[in-house]
Amino acid sequence: LQIIPNMESGGAEKSVIEITAALTGTGARSLLASGPGRLIPAFEAAGGHWFPMKAGTKNPIRLVLNAFRLARLIRRENVKLIHARSRAPAWSALMAARMTGIAFVTTNHGAHSYKGRLKRLYNSVMARGDMVIANSQYTAGRLRHYHQVDEARLKVVPRGVDLAAYDPEKIDLQRLFALREAWGLQASPARIVLLPARLSPRKGHETAIEAAGLLPEDLLKQIVILFIGAAQGRNDQTRRIAQAIESAGLSGHIHLAGHCADMAAAYALADLVLVPSTEPEAFGRVAAEAQMMGVPVIASDLGAVSETVLAPPDVAEEQRTGWRVPAGDTAALAQAMEAALSLGEKEREALAARGKNHIGKHFSLSRMTEGTLAVYDELLGSDLAGRAGADTAKG
């Protein structure tokens, strides 16, 4: 049984679906307790069983009530393990696991703030699992530092990219035409720069706007920058971003494109992908997916980005897979954008090959699913990972 606040969008939510597909492929049952969201149909298509619950509540009384609801569900459905992917529902899951005596697993998907004792206590639930999964070495380091999680319980299982889904050779022209039409770019010769992220202040949209304003005029005329991502109720932030674009005089170059359901096709159309986050990313799926698609990436040098995007001075120039720039440094971002968009064909092909190799070798979906199932096996004495690996080998 996995539990998460809702299934609207995001990396943790996609991981719910990916683990469900892996579980059902082994013959196991995969249940989900969560609020609604646009990804519920995909979860059910993967073979999962959804139990609606207001799992995102932070109200202490409701957390306890949810714990009793979960305990009843666990007993009724003969659940053997509960896996929490977010802090508020993790408290209910922890209580339910202790009531029923089943295994409790957490996956830490975010780089949470630790300002104040109450925040540290609230975050601590993600370190209380019988097994604690970190989605990057960066996240694991924070768990060790703030919660002193012992190594026997801590497992690093990086998020994974579906290598088959993010293969540029498998993106047909119809998908590309459909996206160009949706974006109003049918006849546009412009080069496409993507910033795929929900419209949150921490994702660096304003930084990208300011950096675009610093680009040489002749380069700016060649590009269109698309902010792809749902507002998720952040109407004030959406207005701020729209106003910033207008104030910078960039309305003809930067557009709010909304949610995109076909990110592989979006990357296939892109000439450059930006990840200008102003706060650390616990992993950063966008940077990994874009590299797998052979697209140049520029990311803020925060959090786990150094694990997914290789760049000097950590590696030699000829080993670069993308660019890392200081967070919030608009001049550095503009300079990197100019460098990336000025690559010759051979340079771009070499960069793409290095990126694909790095992501394919270290951050594949099969490594993530088998690593997660291996954690389940350690607690349950099962062989889910072995069965999943056999299925992958057959495929």
Side-chain angles (χ1 to χ4, degrees):
L1 170 63
Q2 298 183 79
I3 184 167
I4 199 166
N6 62 62
M7 287 292 286
E8 192 58 33
S9 66
E13 292 78 3
K14 289 179 181 177
S15 294
V16 168
I17 297 169
E18 291 160 350
I19 292 302
T20 291
L23 283 168
T24 55
T26 70
R29 294 182 72 217
S30 177
L31 316 181
L32 170 66
S34 79
R38 62 164 58 96
L39 296 179
I40 289 295
F43 166 76
E44 293 179 327
H49 303 272
W50 178 46
F51 296 87
M53 176 181 289
K54 293 181 179 179
T57 181
K58 297 180 182 179
N59 181 296
I61 295 174
R62 290 181 182 272
L63 287 175
V64 173
L65 291 175
N66 277 351
F68 280 101
R69 288 188 64 194
L70 288 170
R72 288 195 296 271
L73 176 62
I74 287 164
R75 294 187 180 105
R76 186 176 75 240
E77 301 294 333
N78 194 29
V79 172
K80 301 298 184 186
L81 179 148
I82 187 166
H83 185 167
R85 296 182 176 277
S86 183
R87 291 166 294 174
W91 282 105
S92 298
L94 173 60
M95 289 184 273
R98 298 302 178 250
M99 288 181 210
T100 57
I102 69 166
F104 174 54
V105 174
T106 59
T107 288
N108 290 259
H109 290 278
H112 307 303
S113 168
Y114 280 87
K115 294 179 181 177
R117 291 183 180 179
L118 283 178
K119 182 64 75 173
R120 183 176 293 220
L121 173 62
Y122 179 57
N123 295 348
S124 72
V125 69
M126 301 306 289
R128 299 186 187 212
D130 300 315
M131 295 292 283
V132 177
I133 298 174
N135 67 352
S136 66
Q137 293 291 347
Y138 168 76
T139 305
R142 288 170 64 85
L143 288 165
R144 294 185 187 102
H145 175 75
Y146 288 109
H147 302 295
Q148 294 75 53
V149 179
D150 59 275
E151 296 301 316
R153 289 191 301 120
L154 181 60
K155 301 293 181 182
V156 178
V157 182
R159 274 158 61 176
V161 176
D162 185 337
L163 305 188
Y166 290 90
D167 180 349
E169 300 298 322
K170 296 182 179 179
I171 310 298
D172 63 60
L173 289 176
Q174 189 59 41
R175 290 166 65 185
L176 303 182
F177 290 146
L179 262 186
R180 276 193 166 275
E181 185 174 4
W183 291 339
L185 299 175
Q186 299 98 314
S188 173
R191 305 172 73 188
I192 297 174
V193 177
L194 297 184
L195 196 169
R198 64 186 183 276
L199 299 183
S200 165
R202 67 188 298 271
K203 292 299 183 178
H205 296 87
E206 289 89 346
T207 302
I209 294 166
E210 291 182 33
L214 298 177
L215 293 175
E217 188 66 26
D218 60 336
L219 179 58
L220 185 61
K221 288 179 179 178
Q222 299 174 29
I223 66 174
V224 59
I225 302 174
L226 301 177
F227 291 171
I228 296 177
Q232 295 185 337
R234 299 179 177 89
N235 295 328
D236 289 345
Q237 177 64 10
T238 304
R239 282 192 291 271
R240 277 193 291 271
I241 292 172
Q243 288 169 0
I245 294 170
E246 186 175 354
S247 297
L250 295 171
S251 298
H253 299 284
I254 304 178
H255 307 287
L256 299 177
H259 174 73
C260 177
D262 191 352
M263 283 305 304
Y267 293 132
L269 287 173
D271 293 276
L272 176 64
V273 168
L274 307 180
V275 189
S277 305
T278 57
E279 296 179 22
E281 297 284 355
F283 177 74
R285 185 189 288 259
V286 166
E289 290 173 345
Q291 287 178 92
M292 196 63 221
M293 288 292 295
V295 187
V297 173
I298 304 171
S300 294
D301 198 2
L302 294 171
V305 165
S306 62
E307 298 171 42
T308 55
V309 181
L310 305 181
D314 294 345
V315 298
E317 180 63 36
E318 59 270 21
Q319 294 175 298
R320 177 193 293 277
T321 68
W323 284 261
R324 302 200 309 261
V325 298
D329 189 332
T330 56
L333 178 56
Q335 185 177 13
M337 290 174 68
E338 189 172 357
L341 291 167
S342 300
L343 289 175
E345 185 177 350
K346 289 185 177 180
E347 292 174 305
R348 184 183 170 103
E349 288 176 355
L351 182 79
R354 293 193 296 269
K356 289 179 185 179
N357 180 65
H358 176 55
I359 300 303
K361 184 176 180 180
H362 299 287
F363 303 105
S364 68
L365 176 59
S366 61
R367 285 175 66 96
M368 187 275 279
T369 54
E370 289 173 31
T372 302
L373 298 191
V375 170
Y376 296 172
D377 289 336
E378 194 166 334
L379 293 169
L380 302 178
S382 51
D383 187 33
L384 296 168
R387 281 146 60 187
D391 288 343
T392 300
K394 288 179 186 176

